[in-house]
Every structure is written in C-alpha cells, then in structure tokens.
Amino acid sequence: MSKTPITDKTIFRLSSLTKAITSVVAMQLIQDGKIALDDPVSKYIPSFANMKVGVEKKAEDGTRTLELVPLTRPITVLDLMRHTSGITYGFYGDSLVRKAYKEANIYAGDFDLAEFAERIAKLPLHNQPARSGNTVIPPTSWRGSWRSCPENHCSRSSGKCCSIRSA
C-alpha cells in the first residue's frame, strides 16, 4: 500500500465501477435531453443497425450450427444500460456465439472505442434485445420494482425478475 497522499492528479483503477459511472453519465445525458432510453443504438453507432442474432441449431447427429436471424427490434440505450442488448462476452460458456466472440479476438491490438464498437457490430448477438442478459441489475434511479418473471428467464431460485415496471 502506498503512503503517497491523494491529490487531484491521483489515478485510481476503476474495474467494474465503469458500469456505474457510465450509467450516471448516460442518465445525465437523458436528463439534458441529449439521448433517450428508447433511442436505438444505431442512431449513434450506425453499424449496429444491421446486427443479427445467432441461433444455435442442433442436427440429429449432435452437431451444432449457427443461424443468423434479424433482430425483432433495435438495440436501445436502455438495453445497453440493463445489459440486455444481446451483446455477450467471449471468455466463458460454450455457445457458438460466445465462441465467435472469442475467435474474433476483439480485444487484440491497439484500438479506440469507435473501432471496438465496429468489431462488436460485426458479431452476432447472443439473444434478442431485452430477452435476457449477462448481468441484469437495474439502477435504483429507474424506480423499478421486482416481480415474478413472466418469461422465466431470470433467477428461478429467488423468484425475482429483472423486468422493470413503473413504481
């Protein structure tokens, strides 16, 4: 542990706090009328307009193939904030979509956020937007209330749902 005093130039590692900070900034942009929760992400990142969902098909012999199907609706800012966009991580699980993320090596090399978004846009989504997510923790500022999940995609052990409804 360093005994160096903290100053206004001190740099901290944020790790998972980036989600909280990003959400606060997004909510400020919403409050200022610069973006809306129901805005399609493609309004800001045009390449997201043509994304597809990877649906696994299993043949009788057990082999799996990936069929790319159109989105039922566009990914929205709210989907990004709730982690229900369908974008996934490639470093866990054995689904064909997750394998595609891993094989695409999207973290390789030197790139900026615009390039990273373009890399993501070329990959299939793991599921349709708003169907379920990797991490679904709605911010309390959305005034969401928990209820039993009508689609059975949330924690079955707790009986709680990630769906948000007005308080």
Side-chain angles (χ1 to χ4, degrees):
M1 178 189 294
S2 174
K3 296 191 186 242
T4 307
I6 296 174
T7 70
D8 63 348
K9 304 287 187 214
T10 303
I11 298 173
F12 292 90
R13 183 171 178 204
L14 295 178
S15 298
S16 289
L17 289 176
T18 55
K19 294 176 188 94
I21 292 167
T22 302
S23 294
V24 168
V25 171
M27 295 306 284
Q28 288 174 329
L29 291 170
I30 291 164
Q31 183 176 348
D32 293 344
K34 297 185 191 269
I35 66 173
L37 286 174
D38 60 352
D39 279 349
V41 173
S42 60
K43 179 176 179 179
Y44 308 101
I45 308 171
S47 57
F48 273 52
N50 300 314
M51 294 192 78
K52 304 280 186 209
V53 176
V55 177
E56 281 192 29
K57 301 289 182 177
K58 197 171 195 176
E60 286 185 30
D61 66 359
T63 58
R64 298 182 299 168
T65 59
L66 195 62
E67 179 183 341
L68 299 179
V69 300
L71 300 180
T72 55
R73 67 162 182 76
I75 299 170
T76 65
V77 171
L78 179 60
D79 290 323
L80 292 179
M81 292 179 71
R82 288 193 312 188
H83 299 261
T84 58
S85 65
I87 297 169
T88 191
Y89 300 104
F91 46 83
Y92 72 90
D94 70 344
S95 74
L96 294 178
V97 170
R98 288 193 172 116
K99 286 182 179 182
Y101 276 67
K102 186 175 182 179
E103 291 169 5
N105 206 13
I106 59 176
Y107 300 106
D110 189 25
F111 55 87
D112 60 14
L113 288 176
E115 169 61 24
F116 188 67
E118 293 302 315
R119 291 177 182 189
I120 295 282
K122 292 176 184 170
L123 294 167
L125 298 177
H126 192 265
N127 46 267
Q128 290 287 345
R131 291 295 298 167
S132 97
N134 293 313
T135 310
V136 184
I137 304 171
T140 56
S141 60
W142 291 345
R143 295 182 1 218
S145 61
W146 295 97
R147 59 188 169 89
S148 295
C149 182
E151 299 176 15
N152 293 321
H153 69 273
C154 297
S155 173
R156 293 174 191 194
S157 61
S158 70
K160 302 294 183 183
C161 181
C162 64
S163 298
I164 296 174
R165 64 180 183 193
S166 298

